[in-house]
Amino acid sequence: MVGRAITDLQDDDGFGLGGHPSDKSYDDGRRDGIYRWKSFPELPAGPVEQVSAFLDQRLMAEVHFRIGTRPLTLVAGELEETRDGGLIFQRLDESVLAFTDSVAVACVPWNTARQIRHF
């Protein structure tokens, strides 16, 4: 069975999420730059029971999964450290943030308001 991989995607308007088949044919050898493939065994794995995607500013900003009984939310964004050691959560940025607590996504101090809509 071929699954799907979620990655960042740059559009003329900004960054969002995109997907592609996760089979070996996608691995085109682009591992010589600063980006690396990484496994995250702490994230839920298994059959996806439910999936919802959300737009923000016409970009796919969030994807919410239910994997068995566990939630997983992927958000187009990035963390920026402040001079005083705090964190700024940037939305619609070039990385993918993963949350295993769906309530935490709404409680994070995002740099801009979440204006998501289900599609």
Side-chain angles (χ1 to χ4, degrees):
M1 176 189 301
V2 176
R4 299 289 297 171
I6 303 293
T7 186
D8 63 324
L9 178 72
Q10 185 173 8
D11 185 289
D12 290 339
D13 296 326
F15 290 93
L17 298 174
H20 58 78
S22 64
D23 65 350
K24 296 291 183 189
S25 67
Y26 183 77
D27 184 5
D28 60 3
R30 292 184 294 161
R31 296 181 189 202
D32 58 344
I34 62 171
Y35 298 104
R36 301 285 186 267
W37 292 98
K38 180 163 175 35
S39 172
F40 293 97
E42 62 273 16
L43 297 179
V48 175
E49 304 291 330
Q50 182 180 0
V51 62
S52 298
F54 298 87
L55 294 176
D56 191 337
Q57 300 177 26
R58 297 186 328 263
L59 297 166
M60 186 164 52
E62 299 182 14
V63 180
H64 298 219
F65 299 94
R66 173 74 51 192
I67 302 170
T69 61
R70 296 182 62 197
L72 174 64
T73 300
L74 301 179
V75 178
E78 194 164 284
L79 293 177
E80 180 181 321
E81 189 172 3
T82 63
R83 290 183 183 176
D84 63 358
L87 293 174
I88 297 172
F89 288 75
Q90 304 283 357
R91 289 190 49 74
L92 300 176
D93 213 328
E94 63 207 50
S95 297
V96 179
L97 302 175
F99 294 85
T100 56
D101 179 350
S102 54
V103 174
V105 179
C107 296
V108 165
W110 297 105
N111 66 327
T112 59
R114 289 170 75 222
Q115 299 180 17
I116 62 172
R117 61 184 174 89
H118 190 266
F119 74 95

